[in-house]
Amino acid sequence: MNNFIYDTPTKVYFGKDEELKIGKIISEYHPSKVLIHFGGASARKSGLLERVENCLKEENISFVELGGVVANPELSLVREGIALGKREGVDFVLAVGGGSVLDSSKAIANGLANPDVDVWDFSLGKAAPARTLPKGAILTLAAAGSEMSSSCVITNAATGEKRGYNSSFNRMNFAIENPVLTYTVNPYQTACGAVDIAMHTIERYFCPGEDTYLTDSIAEAVIKSTRKAAFDCMKNPDDYTARANMMWASSLAHNGLTQCGREFQLVVHQFEHELSGMYPKIAHGAGLAALWCSWARYVYKANISRWLQYSANVWNLDIDYEHPEKTIEEAINLQEQYYVSLGMPIGLKALGVEEASLTKLALNCSRNKTRTLTGYKPLAYDDILAIYQMAYERG
């Protein structure tokens, strides 16, 4: 087991009606003015924004609002939020929504707290935030796990770049998780969320590292629990138990717990970031589903024993020790069938990706052939291109 640091400072308020505590929670930070950041009209239509506003008013907390966050949060709105925050004297950011809203809020908080630095430089790795504003979240979607992670992913629509960076300043001070708020999430977005939740842990599972059987057991439980919750949510969107387990899995899958003792790089996420950066209408979870099985088929021979463990412990397969590759291929096929059962794509054509763009995607992902993605099988430009081509050929 490798050395590791496990730090999850975000305080979680979990359960029904917990969002009604938001005024008292924020009052502990003594803000001058709060920026309430959200996505589309659903936050207002559902009555959630009004409840949040009333809670802040009860505590005499001033606020200003900015909506408009899209599925792949854009730099242009981040800049708008920073400009608004400067004009209004904002010193606390409250995200109301899913992972895209949370990431946009993180970027705004970092931009306001570091006014002498271009906020996009954080995403490009040219600079690192030295401070941030306090921030919290009220989740309306179980998917990205941004409420517990140190990650922030932003898209520059002008250049087609989607970039993420990690920093301790990206941590939310608190997150309110009421599973009831996810009842209205449509089946497609529920499925996308389930894919993303599990993928955060699946990818960690296949990062290099040995003798991590406790971490492995936690990871396997998160993956299998997410799969069950996804099926139950699709059958009954108002199943509180299923929504609650999916929401909690989202937080556990991306808070660092399922990587303890192992190396860390979310390789398939790197592929997908380039995909939805170039095609911003592609939902992140759908892009992951379209890519993962092709990646798996390309890399599994680099560590047969690890993949056999996954096949047995996650998919409950009996191992064929004479033909181990057959067992692994069966597990990958089962995962592919699972994605199909959720209505997710298993190839890039279904997402409208053009074959002519594959070379550009591979160049972007390899940073113009200067970056090799890590893992049991390192992936340079030619490997990355081959995986995009495999995913395209899957349909």
Side-chain angles (χ1 to χ4, degrees):
M1 180 180 288
N2 298 340
N3 292 2
F4 64 88
I5 296 173
Y6 178 60
D7 181 26
T8 306
T10 303
K11 187 173 184 177
V12 175
Y13 299 83
F14 192 99
K16 296 178 180 179
D17 296 328
E18 287 296 301
E19 71 275 12
L20 299 180
K21 299 177 180 177
I22 188 62
K24 294 189 181 302
I25 293 170
I26 291 183
S27 68
E28 297 175 4
Y29 296 87
H30 308 290
S32 297
K33 184 169 287 188
V34 173
L35 171 62
I36 302 175
H37 198 33
F38 60 97
S42 61
R44 176 69 64 190
K45 190 174 180 180
S46 68
L48 177 58
L49 272 182
E50 184 177 2
R51 295 198 298 276
V52 170
E53 292 164 354
N54 289 337
C55 288
L56 296 188
K57 289 174 183 176
E58 288 174 3
E59 299 296 326
N60 296 312
I61 298 172
S62 298
F63 59 87
V64 63
E65 297 177 339
L66 178 64
V69 182
V70 295
N72 293 297
E74 295 186 356
L75 176 63
S76 58
L77 190 64
V78 169
R79 294 195 192 282
E80 184 178 339
I82 293 169
L84 175 63
K86 288 178 179 178
R87 289 197 306 271
E88 295 287 339
V90 165
D91 54 3
F92 190 102
V93 180
L94 175 64
V96 179
S100 295
V101 176
L102 271 63
D103 279 12
S104 187
S105 297
K106 292 176 179 184
I108 290 171
N110 290 340
L112 285 171
N114 300 272
D116 297 329
V117 182
D118 181 358
V119 70
W120 183 237
D121 283 347
F122 299 145
S123 297
L124 295 178
K126 294 180 178 180
R131 60 194 67 83
T132 192
L133 296 186
K135 51 194 172 290
I138 300 176
L139 285 183
T140 61
L141 176 67
S146 184
E147 69 277 2
M148 297 284 275
S149 82
S150 62
S151 174
C152 176
V153 182
I154 300 296
T155 296
N156 186 335
T159 63
E161 296 172 287
K162 182 176 179 179
R163 295 288 179 265
Y165 68 98
N166 289 292
S167 169
S168 61
F169 292 114
N170 287 333
R171 300 279 190 183
M172 289 286 171
N173 294 79
F174 65 83
I176 293 174
E177 303 186 24
N178 177 359
V180 174
L181 299 179
T182 67
Y183 283 1
T184 57
V185 177
N186 66 49
Y188 185 77
Q189 288 300 329
T190 297
C192 287
V195 172
D196 195 18
I197 292 166
M199 196 66 70
H200 285 142
T201 287
I202 293 169
E203 291 202 62
R204 287 171 164 89
Y205 195 88
F206 290 108
C207 288
E210 306 302 329
D211 303 319
T212 56
Y213 54 80
L214 176 56
T215 298
D216 293 350
S217 295
I218 296 169
E220 290 156 6
V222 168
I223 296 165
K224 291 190 290 185
S225 295
T226 302
R227 190 167 71 226
K228 171 176 169 45
F231 279 132
D232 291 344
C233 287
M234 299 300 274
K235 287 188 294 185
N236 178 11
D238 295 349
D239 185 334
Y240 182 83
T241 297
R243 292 289 188 181
N245 278 279
M246 184 177 288
M247 181 166 265
W248 187 227
S250 176
S251 291
L252 294 181
H254 206 27
N255 71 358
L257 179 64
T258 59
Q259 74 193 47
C260 290
R262 308 188 67 79
E263 294 181 20
F264 174 62
Q265 185 177 35
L266 300 183
V267 173
V268 182
H269 270 70
Q270 300 304 308
F271 279 79
E272 200 290 321
H273 285 173
E274 301 307 330
L275 182 66
S276 54
M278 186 177 294
Y279 296 91
K281 292 185 179 180
I282 293 177
H284 178 55
L288 292 171
L291 289 162
W292 186 85
C293 294
S294 293
W295 167 84
R297 293 185 177 103
Y298 191 86
V299 305
Y300 77 76
K301 292 180 182 178
N303 194 326
I304 293 290
S305 63
R306 187 70 180 166
W307 280 89
L308 286 176
Q309 178 179 312
Y310 183 77
S311 302
N313 293 355
V314 172
W315 288 104
N316 303 315
L317 295 177
D318 294 327
I319 296 174
D320 182 344
Y321 288 101
E322 292 186 8
H323 306 94
E325 292 182 9
K326 289 185 178 180
T327 303
I328 297 168
E329 288 166 2
E330 183 179 358
I332 296 171
N333 289 339
L334 285 172
Q335 188 143 340
E336 193 167 63
Q337 292 165 22
Y338 163 63
Y339 290 153
V340 171
S341 74
L342 294 180
M344 288 286 96
I346 55 171
L348 297 181
K349 287 181 186 176
L351 292 172
V353 175
E354 299 175 349
E355 186 173 12
S357 67
L358 301 182
T359 299
K360 178 62 174 174
L361 286 168
L363 284 170
N364 290 348
C365 193
S366 66
R367 302 293 186 266
N368 203 26
K369 302 184 180 182
T370 65
R371 178 174 77 156
T372 296
L373 301 177
T374 61
Y376 286 117
K377 181 178 177 61
L379 303 173
Y381 167 78
D382 289 339
D383 305 293
I384 294 168
L385 178 59
I387 291 168
Y388 277 126
Q389 289 172 334
M390 287 174 64
Y392 182 82
E393 291 164 5
R394 293 299 293 175

